[in-house]
Amino acid sequence: MNPDTETLLNYHNRTKHTLQRYAKGPETLDWDDQPDPFRRFSGCEVLSLPTPGRELQPMFTDLDNLQAIPTQSLDLDNIGLLLELAFGLSAWKQFGPNRWSLRCNPSSGNLHPTEAYLISTGNSFIKSGVYHYVSHDHSLEQRCRYDDTLTESDLLIGLSSIHWREAWKYGERAYRYCQHDTGHALGALRYAAATLGWSIELLPEWSDADISTLLGLDRKDDFKALEHESPDFVCRIIAQNYQQTDVNTLLESAQSGTWFGKADSLRAYHLYKWPVIDEVAEAAHKPRTEEPVWQITKQPLPTSSCTETATAIIRKRRSAQQFDGKMPPLPSADFYRMLAAVLPTSPAFDLWQWPPKIHLFFFVHRVEGLTPGLYALLRDNNALEQCQSATLDQFDWQKQSDNLPFYHLYSGDLKQVAKTLSCHQPIASDSAFSLAMVAEFSDTISSTPWLYRRLFLECGLIGQVLYLEAEASGIRGTGIGCYFDDSVHEILGIKDDKLQSLYHFTVGKPLEDKRLQTFPAYGHLHEQR
């Protein structure tokens, strides 16, 4: 076995929750030690972006057909809107003296380990270089000024993760959640770009070392000990006019450019340390690769009943904290729309360049026209035999739709089972449905260890689609990172690591906590300006 794969498998197994014990995490939570959710670099020139909150006309349903959305001009106004809708604030909440922000991109525990960077070359509206996006201030900090003249008009988005920000609360399991959040962020970026008539192209051939050089993450003296950032992804913004800048040209510009600023401390004591996260990050280190071309024919989605704009749905997205356990059944049209939206044939996956490796097993509680029980949505039609042979012989695998690879497995009231499996959380049973995202696991990572990360990213992207589709249906979703891994496998009949559950999700009618006050996302900026 590849030594890195062995490291990843050992990490994955040691960070499983079980009915007898939870994965290693902090014994106590010192809220005074919580990492600052907003990274800033002192010593940088700051570029304030145009006032956030601008609305666009496209409806949420218009995002089903990107060609029908007017392409907005590539300028600072629209770049600011892109960053806001993808990574910016969506609201502030307050309970008593405690006040916290919410963002457009979901995050486990609202801890937000993902950082976003803008890389510009040859654009008239912004100097060439590398910029860090500060969501709190809706501004860009110029980290690097390119000294040479680049004529190509290119814009890239780079993503990185501060693993310790998540580990503060979740300990060793945090590395998994950081990958989920990168997937959420990619989905948020794709939807934000679509509202502008733009698209996003992933640049998967880049190595982690390349991304670190491009974003300045390898400049160790610029970061506090234990608060470094790990490279995730680089994407290209496809708008009206752009020219691809060669990878080596960008790296040479970063190496010869003038760098500014040092990361402020996240104001934390680092009481607990989790060296296994650094070990697994090293084992999942990605080299430069030649990515195979994989194409799939996109299919139109079933009509949505949503009558709101895309920007409104994106800004109102929330993670539900509790559900109404007496909700009426979810209309079947909304449910089947969600199923179609998470398939690789959906327009939402136009940035995903690889065959699907994640399949969904549903605990259906309250869906119109469906008997409560266990169901499966196979996101690859070729996976039927594999999933049948890896799960219980008693499952009947009866297809439920002529148009979707959606199968009935077992009938029964599984509300208590779903709740128990999800660390005894009622959100998994009081919902319309909950689900487990199950990956084609060991065969995927056996010879290519860094694909471990990509499996979680795919889960996060599916989660972001479900978040927005739930909001568009007038209900709400929430990701579930806490579940008893092998108990889920036992319920499904999975006996080895060919398949593994990597993320859970649930959708239902939210109950609002009336004790909480809600404030505008950028009211503090409007007052200043």
Side-chain angles (χ1 to χ4, degrees), residues 9-302:
L9 288 174
N10 289 337
Y11 167 79
H12 189 74
N13 288 323
R14 73 180 277 168
T15 57
K16 288 179 176 180
H17 292 320
T18 73
L19 286 164
Q20 292 73 38
R21 61 155 185 85
Y22 289 92
K24 290 183 179 179
E27 297 176 3
T28 59
L29 284 181
D30 180 357
W31 293 98
D32 292 332
D33 184 36
Q34 183 174 358
D36 189 336
F38 302 108
R39 162 141 283 174
R40 291 179 173 85
F41 289 87
S42 294
C44 297
E45 181 181 340
V46 176
L47 174 62
S48 294
L49 293 165
T51 304
R54 181 161 58 96
E55 297 284 353
L56 292 177
Q57 292 184 349
M59 310 300 289
F60 183 76
T61 53
D62 293 336
L63 303 188
D64 295 349
N65 181 14
L66 187 60
Q67 288 71 30
I69 299 176
T71 302
Q72 300 292 320
S73 59
L74 192 59
D75 56 31
L76 198 60
D77 277 2
N78 288 323
I79 289 297
L81 184 58
L82 174 79
L83 293 171
E84 177 205 346
L85 294 176
F87 313 115
L89 307 186
S90 58
W92 287 87
K93 294 287 186 178
Q94 184 166 331
F95 178 65
N98 299 315
R99 186 181 176 97
W100 63 95
S101 64
L102 306 179
R103 300 196 202 180
C104 294
N105 58 313
S107 171
S108 304
N110 199 34
L111 294 168
H112 293 283
T114 310
E115 295 293 329
Y117 292 81
L118 179 75
I119 302 95
S120 172
T121 67
N123 293 289
S124 60
F125 56 88
I126 189 170
K127 300 173 184 176
S128 292
V130 179
Y131 297 81
H132 172 247
Y133 178 61
V134 183
S135 58
H136 180 278
D137 304 338
H138 193 52
S139 64
L140 292 170
E141 301 170 325
Q142 186 169 20
R143 284 278 288 136
C144 180
R145 183 182 66 231
Y146 292 159
D147 296 332
D148 49 349
T149 302
L150 296 175
T151 58
E152 297 89 349
S153 179
D154 203 359
L155 274 174
L156 306 175
I157 297 288
L159 299 179
S160 66
S161 294
I162 304 173
H163 295 151
W164 187 82
R165 206 182 249 158
E166 201 75 23
W168 168 80
K169 182 175 182 181
Y170 295 114
E172 291 187 351
R173 199 170 166 101
Y175 183 79
R176 298 180 178 210
Y177 301 161
C178 288
Q179 311 314 310
H180 288 154
D181 283 355
T182 302
H184 292 148
L186 288 175
L189 182 61
R190 182 269 166 194
Y191 276 99
T195 65
L196 292 154
W198 302 349
S199 60
I200 297 297
E201 176 192 5
L202 294 183
L203 305 180
E205 67 277 9
W206 284 57
S207 69
D208 285 351
D210 291 340
I211 298 172
S212 292
T213 297
L214 179 71
L215 304 184
L217 310 184
D218 57 0
R219 299 174 58 82
K220 294 184 179 180
D221 291 344
D222 291 354
F223 297 90
K224 302 290 183 180
L226 305 177
E227 297 179 6
H228 62 278
E229 298 177 25
S230 296
D232 287 326
F233 251 110
V234 174
C235 319
R236 174 169 281 114
I237 300 171
I238 310 297
Q240 286 176 322
N241 300 305
Y242 79 97
Q243 296 172 292
Q244 293 189 9
T245 308
D246 177 71
V247 174
N248 291 324
T249 300
L250 281 168
L251 295 179
E252 289 169 4
S253 297
Q255 290 168 330
S256 63
T258 303
W259 286 85
F260 307 94
K262 292 184 181 294
D264 294 350
S265 171
L266 296 178
R267 300 200 306 270
Y269 310 132
H270 300 281
L271 179 62
Y272 298 98
K273 297 177 177 61
W274 309 104
V276 70
I277 291 181
D278 292 329
E279 293 171 12
V280 74
E282 180 60 31
H285 191 83
K286 182 188 175 299
R288 277 201 193 185
T289 53
E290 293 184 7
E291 297 290 326
V293 176
W294 182 78
Q295 294 181 331
I296 190 168
T297 302
K298 298 301 177 183
Q299 301 292 333
L301 293 180

Side-chain angles (χ1 to χ4, degrees), residues 389-410:
S389 62
T391 54
L392 290 177
D393 293 338
Q394 296 93 320
F395 293 162
D396 59 25
W397 290 94
Q398 293 297 309
K399 203 157 187 273
Q400 301 295 294
S401 168
D402 293 334
N403 302 318
L404 297 171
F406 183 58
Y407 299 86
H408 172 273
L409 304 183
Y410 171 85

Side-chain angles (χ1 to χ4, degrees), residues 195-500:
T195 65
L196 292 154
W198 302 349
S199 60
I200 297 297
E201 176 192 5
L202 294 183
L203 305 180
E205 67 277 9
W206 284 57
S207 69
D208 285 351
D210 291 340
I211 298 172
S212 292
T213 297
L214 179 71
L215 304 184
L217 310 184
D218 57 0
R219 299 174 58 82
K220 294 184 179 180
D221 291 344
D222 291 354
F223 297 90
K224 302 290 183 180
L226 305 177
E227 297 179 6
H228 62 278
E229 298 177 25
S230 296
D232 287 326
F233 251 110
V234 174
C235 319
R236 174 169 281 114
I237 300 171
I238 310 297
Q240 286 176 322
N241 300 305
Y242 79 97
Q243 296 172 292
Q244 293 189 9
T245 308
D246 177 71
V247 174
N248 291 324
T249 300
L250 281 168
L251 295 179
E252 289 169 4
S253 297
Q255 290 168 330
S256 63
T258 303
W259 286 85
F260 307 94
K262 292 184 181 294
D264 294 350
S265 171
L266 296 178
R267 300 200 306 270
Y269 310 132
H270 300 281
L271 179 62
Y272 298 98
K273 297 177 177 61
W274 309 104
V276 70
I277 291 181
D278 292 329
E279 293 171 12
V280 74
E282 180 60 31
H285 191 83
K286 182 188 175 299
R288 277 201 193 185
T289 53
E290 293 184 7
E291 297 290 326
V293 176
W294 182 78
Q295 294 181 331
I296 190 168
T297 302
K298 298 301 177 183
Q299 301 292 333
L301 293 180
T303 303
S304 170
S305 60
C306 182
T307 58
E308 295 187 72
T309 64
T311 49
I313 291 294
I314 289 171
R315 289 188 176 113
K316 71 186 289 190
R317 185 219 62 80
R318 303 284 187 271
S319 294
Q321 302 302 309
Q322 56 181 334
F323 288 126
D324 180 357
K326 298 180 180 180
M327 68 171 287
L330 175 67
S332 60
D334 292 336
F335 179 71
Y336 282 103
R337 158 90 185 189
M338 292 181 200
L339 297 187
V342 298
L343 292 176
T345 53
S346 161
F349 288 85
D350 53 14
L351 83 171
W352 195 254
Q353 303 174 15
W354 308 282
K357 297 294 184 182
I358 306 297
H359 309 292
L360 311 184
F361 286 79
F362 285 78
F363 299 88
V364 171
H365 309 312
R366 303 170 180 87
V367 175
E368 180 184 54
L370 280 182
T371 302
L374 188 63
Y375 295 77
L377 180 72
L378 303 187
R379 298 179 62 253
D380 182 349
N381 290 326
N382 297 321
L384 178 58
E385 183 178 347
Q386 177 187 3
C387 290
Q388 281 181 312
S389 62
T391 54
L392 290 177
D393 293 338
Q394 296 93 320
F395 293 162
D396 59 25
W397 290 94
Q398 293 297 309
K399 203 157 187 273
Q400 301 295 294
S401 168
D402 293 334
N403 302 318
L404 297 171
F406 183 58
Y407 299 86
H408 172 273
L409 304 183
Y410 171 85
S411 294
D413 185 345
L414 298 178
K415 290 193 290 292
Q416 186 58 48
V417 170
K419 176 182 176 180
T420 300
L421 292 177
S422 294
C423 298
H424 311 289
Q425 297 178 83
I427 53 173
S429 58
D430 291 342
S431 56
F433 64 85
S434 61
L435 61 89
M437 300 187 195
V438 175
E440 299 176 20
F441 190 72
S442 58
D443 289 347
T444 300
I445 68 172
S446 59
S447 60
T448 316
W450 51 266
L451 289 181
Y452 183 74
R453 292 157 57 184
R454 190 176 290 175
L455 291 174
F456 284 95
L457 259 66
E458 188 174 348
C459 290
L461 182 54
I462 293 169
Q464 179 65 358
V465 174
L466 288 171
Y467 267 119
L468 294 179
E469 288 291 339
E471 294 290 347
S473 298
I475 50 178
R476 186 152 291 167
T478 190
I480 301 176
C482 187
Y483 56 87
F484 299 123
D485 301 57
D486 287 338
S487 295
V488 175
H489 302 149
E490 183 179 357
I491 290 293
L492 298 178
I494 297 170
K495 295 182 175 62
D496 56 31
D497 57 9
K498 295 280 187 184
L499 299 178
Q500 291 282 286

